[in-house]
Amino acid sequence: MQVGRVLRFLLWTISVVVLSLIVIRPLRASGPQEKSAAVPAPAEPAHYVGVDTCKTCHEDLYKTQFERTPHYKTTLGDGHGCESCHGPGSAHVEGGGDKSKIFSFKNVSKQEINSRCLTCHGEKQEQRHFASSVHAGSNVGCLDCHSPHQAREPEHLLVKSQPELCYSCHAAAKADFAKPYHHRVNEHLIQCADCHNVHGTTTVRQARTVANGDAACYKCHADKQGPFVYEHVPVKTEGCSSCHTPHGSTNPRLLRVSQVNLLCLQCHSFPAQGPAGPGHNQSTKYQACTMCHAAIHGSNASNVFFR
């Protein structure tokens, strides 16, 4: 009896081992193969196909809205033309023009568009401060002012010409330029960008400066720049806008007040600490201080700015 039990136990053990070899091992072998089959092979990265391939479908866009703009220079040398902005186009071409397989400027954030534009323009002097500019801080994006394909002003690819483009946001400046005395912006003799760097500067109101850091006004009004032996302090400390309104005024010479005397007496009141007040009355005969103090912006001969 005991021998029979031992034999049955041995047969049962052998059966279990055989089953494990037949069933369990193939399952283990097939497990990794099934898992690897479920993971798709990595897609080949898109590569550049060149502007000639782009022109196959977009010839009209290329000829009329790209080739005649400054962006055409991106096709020269090692440039990639259309793909410089839209990215490599091989997947787009292989997908039969699938728009999801190439970068489109529609339905993306302004920050993403700005970042893409600044990959080329960010190192240039004109745009290097854009990220910290007033326009960027006010959520104004590159495509709010520029249109690479449908620009109305070809040199800078603007959606409108100046000053109409600037007036669409700066209504107060538009009102100033409509005043009787104004800088000739509406007459198109100067532009907003002549005085302001719209892409940002390190100065107040994004004003441009000349090489030595003085006011943008000196680019046209060089005779007021100096240096002078006797400087008029407000000119050097507060700038031209201490007496003049730069955009426009109802007063001659863009003055902040209607009478020259009233302007001067804002600082030269008598008695006062600092510059002495007038030593004579302010009757009609002497109503314009600049009748005598003619060199009011600075003088090389007189400490009271006489002729």
Side-chain angles (χ1 to χ4, degrees), residues 104-121:
S104 173
F105 286 82
K106 297 180 179 179
N107 302 321
V108 295
S109 66
K110 292 182 179 181
Q111 289 73 21
E112 188 174 356
I113 292 174
N114 295 347
S115 177
R116 186 165 285 257
C117 296
L118 290 173
T119 55
C120 292
H121 295 281

Side-chain angles (χ1 to χ4, degrees), residues 11-195:
L11 290 172
W12 179 82
T13 304
I14 292 170
S15 300
V16 171
V17 172
V18 171
L19 287 172
S20 66
L21 293 174
I22 295 173
V23 178
I24 298 176
R25 182 174 293 177
L27 289 175
R28 288 180 178 177
S30 63
Q33 294 178 359
E34 294 174 356
K35 184 177 180 181
S36 63
V39 177
E44 183 180 352
H47 58 271
Y48 295 103
V49 295
V51 295
D52 290 334
T53 302
C54 299
K55 285 191 290 185
T56 303
C57 297
H58 305 285
E59 185 173 6
D60 291 342
L61 184 67
Y62 185 89
K63 290 289 186 181
T64 61
Q65 300 178 14
F66 178 79
E67 193 174 44
R68 299 177 182 179
T69 71
H71 278 165
Y72 175 72
K73 295 178 182 178
T74 60
T75 63
L76 307 177
D78 297 329
H80 299 290
C82 310
E83 296 168 288
S84 297
C85 297
H86 293 281
S90 61
H92 173 66
V93 174
E94 293 168 2
D98 187 348
K99 295 180 180 180
S100 65
K101 294 184 178 180
I102 197 168
F103 182 82
S104 173
F105 286 82
K106 297 180 179 179
N107 302 321
V108 295
S109 66
K110 292 182 179 181
Q111 289 73 21
E112 188 174 356
I113 292 174
N114 295 347
S115 177
R116 186 165 285 257
C117 296
L118 290 173
T119 55
C120 292
H121 295 281
E123 297 300 321
K124 296 182 179 180
Q125 182 67 31
E126 187 75 7
Q127 295 93 9
R128 63 186 304 181
H129 297 292
F130 180 76
S132 58
S133 69
V134 175
H135 280 152
S138 300
N139 198 33
V140 176
C142 302
L143 296 187
D144 290 327
C145 299
H146 303 277
S147 176
H149 295 301
Q150 298 176 347
R152 297 293 182 87
E153 192 266 302
E155 183 179 1
H156 302 294
L157 300 179
L158 296 178
V159 296
K160 294 180 182 179
S161 61
Q162 296 186 60
E164 285 75 17
L165 176 61
C166 302
Y167 287 165
S168 60
C169 292
H170 300 280
K174 181 179 181 179
D176 285 339
F177 285 117
K179 292 178 179 178
Y181 303 95
H182 58 267
H183 276 114
R184 298 182 182 181
V185 171
N186 292 338
E187 293 78 7
H188 301 285
L189 295 180
I190 61 174
Q191 296 181 333
C192 304
D194 291 332
C195 299

